[in-house]
Coordinates of all heavy atoms in Angstrom, one line a residue:
Chain E
V165 N 5.2 53.5 -37.5 CA 5.5 53.4 -39.0 C 4.9 54.5 -39.8 O 5.6 55.1 -40.6 CB 5.1 52.0 -39.5 CG1 5.2 52.0 -41.0 CG2 6.0 51.0 -38.9
F166 N 3.6 54.8 -39.6 CA 3.0 55.8 -40.5 C 3.7 57.1 -40.4 O 4.1 57.7 -41.5 CB 1.5 55.9 -40.2 CG 0.8 57.1 -40.7 CD1 0.7 57.3 -42.1 CD2 0.4 58.1 -39.9 CE1 0.1 58.4 -42.6 CE2 -0.1 59.3 -40.4 CZ -0.3 59.4 -41.7
P167 N 3.8 57.7 -39.2 CA 4.5 59.0 -39.2 C 5.9 59.0 -39.7 O 6.3 59.9 -40.4 CB 4.4 59.4 -37.7 CG 3.3 58.6 -37.1 CD 3.4 57.3 -37.9
R168 N 6.6 58.0 -39.4 CA 8.0 58.0 -39.8 C 8.1 57.9 -41.3 O 9.0 58.5 -41.9 CB 8.8 56.8 -39.1 CG 9.0 57.1 -37.6 CD 10.3 56.4 -37.2 NE 10.6 56.7 -35.8 CZ 11.6 57.4 -35.3 NH1 12.4 58.0 -36.2 NH2 11.7 57.7 -34.1
T169 N 7.3 57.0 -41.9 CA 7.3 56.9 -43.4 C 6.8 58.2 -44.0 O 7.4 58.7 -45.0 CB 6.5 55.7 -43.8 OG1 6.9 54.6 -43.0 CG2 6.8 55.4 -45.3
A170 N 5.7 58.7 -43.5 CA 5.1 60.0 -44.0 C 6.2 61.0 -44.0 O 6.4 61.8 -45.0 CB 3.9 60.4 -43.2
N171 N 6.9 61.1 -42.9 CA 8.0 62.2 -42.8 C 9.1 62.0 -43.7 O 9.7 62.9 -44.2 CB 8.4 62.3 -41.3 CG 7.4 63.0 -40.5 OD1 6.5 63.7 -41.0 ND2 7.5 62.9 -39.2
K172 N 9.4 60.7 -44.0 CA 10.5 60.4 -45.0 C 10.1 61.0 -46.3 O 10.9 61.6 -47.0 CB 10.6 58.9 -45.1 CG 11.8 58.4 -45.9 CD 12.0 56.9 -45.8 CE 12.7 56.3 -47.0 NZ 12.8 54.9 -46.9
I173 N 8.8 60.8 -46.7 CA 8.3 61.4 -47.9 C 8.3 62.9 -47.9 O 8.7 63.6 -48.8 CB 6.9 60.8 -48.2 CG1 7.0 59.3 -48.5 CG2 6.2 61.5 -49.4 CD1 5.6 58.6 -48.5
I174 N 7.8 63.4 -46.7 CA 7.7 64.9 -46.6 C 9.0 65.5 -46.7 O 9.2 66.5 -47.4 CB 7.1 65.2 -45.2 CG1 5.6 64.9 -45.2 CG2 7.3 66.7 -44.9 CD1 4.9 65.0 -43.8
K175 N 10.0 64.9 -46.1 CA 11.4 65.5 -46.2 C 11.9 65.6 -47.6 O 12.5 66.5 -48.0 CB 12.3 64.7 -45.3 CG 12.1 65.1 -43.8 CD 13.2 64.5 -42.9 CE 12.9 63.0 -42.7 NZ 13.8 62.4 -41.7
Q176 N 11.7 64.5 -48.4 CA 12.2 64.5 -49.7 C 11.4 65.5 -50.6 O 12.0 66.2 -51.4 CB 12.0 63.1 -50.4 CG 13.0 62.1 -49.7 CD 13.1 60.8 -50.5 OE1 12.8 60.7 -51.7 NE2 13.5 59.7 -49.8
Y177 N 10.1 65.6 -50.4 CA 9.3 66.5 -51.2 C 9.7 68.0 -50.8 O 9.7 68.9 -51.6 CB 7.8 66.2 -51.0 CG 6.9 66.9 -52.0 CD1 7.4 67.1 -53.3 CD2 5.7 67.3 -51.7 CE1 6.6 67.8 -54.3 CE2 4.8 67.9 -52.6 CZ 5.3 68.1 -53.9 OH 4.5 68.8 -54.8
A178 N 9.9 68.1 -49.5 CA 10.2 69.5 -49.0 C 11.5 70.0 -49.6 O 11.6 71.1 -50.0 CB 10.3 69.5 -47.5
A179 N 12.5 69.1 -49.8 CA 13.7 69.4 -50.4 C 13.5 69.9 -51.8 O 14.0 70.9 -52.3 CB 14.7 68.2 -50.4
K180 N 12.6 69.2 -52.5 CA 12.2 69.6 -53.9 C 11.5 70.9 -53.9 O 11.8 71.8 -54.8 CB 11.3 68.5 -54.5 CG 10.5 68.9 -55.6 CD 11.0 68.1 -56.9 CE 10.4 68.6 -58.2 NZ 9.1 69.2 -58.2
L181 N 10.6 71.2 -52.9 CA 9.8 72.4 -52.9 C 10.6 73.6 -52.3 O 10.2 74.7 -52.3 CB 8.6 72.2 -52.0 CG 7.5 71.2 -52.5 CD1 6.4 71.0 -51.5 CD2 7.0 71.7 -53.9
G182 N 11.8 73.3 -51.7 CA 12.6 74.4 -51.1 C 12.1 74.8 -49.7 O 12.3 75.9 -49.3
I183 N 11.4 73.8 -49.1 CA 10.9 74.1 -47.7 C 12.0 73.5 -46.8 O 12.4 72.3 -47.0 CB 9.5 73.5 -47.5 CG1 8.5 74.2 -48.3 CG2 9.2 73.6 -46.0 CD1 7.1 73.6 -48.2
K184 N 12.4 74.2 -45.8 CA 13.4 73.7 -44.9 C 12.7 73.0 -43.6 O 11.8 73.6 -43.0 CB 14.3 74.9 -44.4 CG 15.5 74.5 -43.7 CD 16.5 75.7 -43.6 CE 17.7 75.3 -42.8 NZ 17.7 75.9 -41.4
I185 N 13.2 71.8 -43.3 CA 12.7 71.1 -42.2 C 13.6 71.6 -41.0 O 14.8 71.3 -41.0 CB 12.8 69.6 -42.3 CG1 12.1 69.1 -43.6 CG2 12.3 68.9 -41.1 CD1 10.6 69.3 -43.6
V186 N 13.0 72.2 -40.0 CA 13.8 72.8 -38.9 C 13.7 71.9 -37.6 O 14.2 72.3 -36.6 CB 13.4 74.2 -38.6 CG1 13.7 75.1 -39.7 CG2 11.9 74.3 -38.3
G187 N 13.0 70.8 -37.7 CA 12.9 69.9 -36.5 C 12.1 68.7 -36.8 O 11.2 68.8 -37.7
E188 N 12.3 67.6 -36.1 CA 11.6 66.4 -36.3 C 11.5 65.7 -35.0 O 12.6 65.3 -34.4 CB 12.3 65.6 -37.4 CG 11.6 64.3 -37.7 CD 12.3 63.5 -38.8 OE1 13.3 64.0 -39.3 OE2 11.9 62.4 -39.1
E189 N 10.3 65.5 -34.4 CA 10.2 64.9 -33.1 C 9.1 63.8 -33.1 O 8.1 64.0 -33.7 CB 9.8 66.0 -32.0 CG 10.9 67.0 -31.7 CD 12.1 66.3 -31.0 OE1 11.9 65.3 -30.2 OE2 13.3 66.8 -31.2
Y190 N 9.4 62.7 -32.3 CA 8.5 61.7 -32.2 C 8.2 61.3 -30.7 O 9.1 61.4 -29.9 CB 9.0 60.4 -32.9 CG 9.2 60.6 -34.4 CD1 10.5 60.9 -34.8 CD2 8.2 60.4 -35.3 CE1 10.7 61.1 -36.2 CE2 8.4 60.5 -36.6 CZ 9.7 60.9 -37.1 OH 9.9 61.1 -38.4
V191 N 7.0 61.0 -30.4 CA 6.7 60.5 -29.1 C 5.9 59.2 -29.2 O 5.1 59.1 -30.1 CB 5.8 61.6 -28.4 CG1 5.1 61.1 -27.2 CG2 6.7 62.8 -28.0
P192 N 6.1 58.3 -28.3 CA 5.4 57.0 -28.4 C 3.8 57.2 -28.4 O 3.3 58.2 -27.8 CB 5.8 56.2 -27.2 CG 7.1 56.8 -26.8 CD 7.1 58.2 -27.2
L193 N 3.2 56.3 -29.1 CA 1.7 56.4 -29.3 C 0.9 56.6 -28.0 O 0.0 57.4 -28.0 CB 1.2 55.1 -29.9 CG 1.0 55.1 -31.4 CD1 0.5 53.7 -31.8 CD2 -0.1 56.2 -31.8
D194 N 1.4 56.0 -26.9 CA 0.6 56.0 -25.7 C 1.1 57.1 -24.8 O 0.7 57.2 -23.6 CB 0.5 54.7 -25.0 CG 1.9 54.1 -24.8 OD1 2.9 54.9 -25.1 OD2 2.1 53.0 -24.3
D195 N 2.0 57.9 -25.2 CA 2.5 59.0 -24.4 C 1.8 60.3 -24.6 O 1.3 60.5 -25.7 CB 4.0 59.1 -24.7 CG 4.8 59.7 -23.5 OD1 4.1 60.2 -22.6 OD2 6.0 59.5 -23.4
D196 N 1.6 61.1 -23.6 CA 0.8 62.3 -23.8 C 1.6 63.6 -23.5 O 1.0 64.7 -23.6 CB -0.5 62.2 -23.0 CG -0.2 62.1 -21.6 OD1 1.0 61.9 -21.2 OD2 -1.2 62.2 -20.8
D197 N 2.8 63.5 -23.0 CA 3.4 64.7 -22.6 C 4.4 65.2 -23.7 O 5.4 64.7 -23.9 CB 4.2 64.5 -21.3 CG 4.6 65.8 -20.6 OD1 4.5 66.9 -21.3 OD2 5.0 65.8 -19.5
W198 N 4.0 66.3 -24.3 CA 4.7 66.9 -25.4 C 5.5 68.2 -25.0 O 6.0 68.9 -25.9 CB 3.8 67.2 -26.6 CG 3.5 66.1 -27.4 CD1 2.5 65.1 -27.3 CD2 4.2 65.7 -28.7 NE1 2.6 64.2 -28.3 CE2 3.6 64.5 -29.2 CE3 5.3 66.3 -29.3 CZ2 4.0 63.9 -30.3 CZ3 5.7 65.7 -30.5 CH2 5.1 64.5 -31.0
T199 N 5.6 68.4 -23.7 CA 6.2 69.7 -23.3 C 7.6 70.0 -23.9 O 7.8 71.0 -24.5 CB 6.3 69.7 -21.8 OG1 5.1 69.2 -21.2 CG2 6.5 71.1 -21.3
T200 N 8.4 69.0 -23.8 CA 9.8 69.2 -24.2 C 9.9 69.4 -25.7 O 10.7 70.2 -26.2 CB 10.7 68.0 -23.8 OG1 10.3 67.5 -22.5 CG2 12.1 68.3 -23.8

Side-chain angles (χ1 to χ4, degrees):
Chain E
V165 170
F166 164 69
R168 287 211 179 247
T169 313
N171 283 342
K172 185 172 159 185
I173 293 167
I174 289 171
K175 282 187 283 185
Q176 290 191 26
Y177 194 32
K180 160 114 192 327
L181 294 175
I183 295 175
K184 190 163 175 255
I185 307 293
V186 293
E188 180 178 358
E189 289 291 332
Y190 299 93
V191 162
L193 260 179
D194 52 4
D195 207 340
D196 62 349
D197 194 346
W198 274 87
T199 317
T200 320

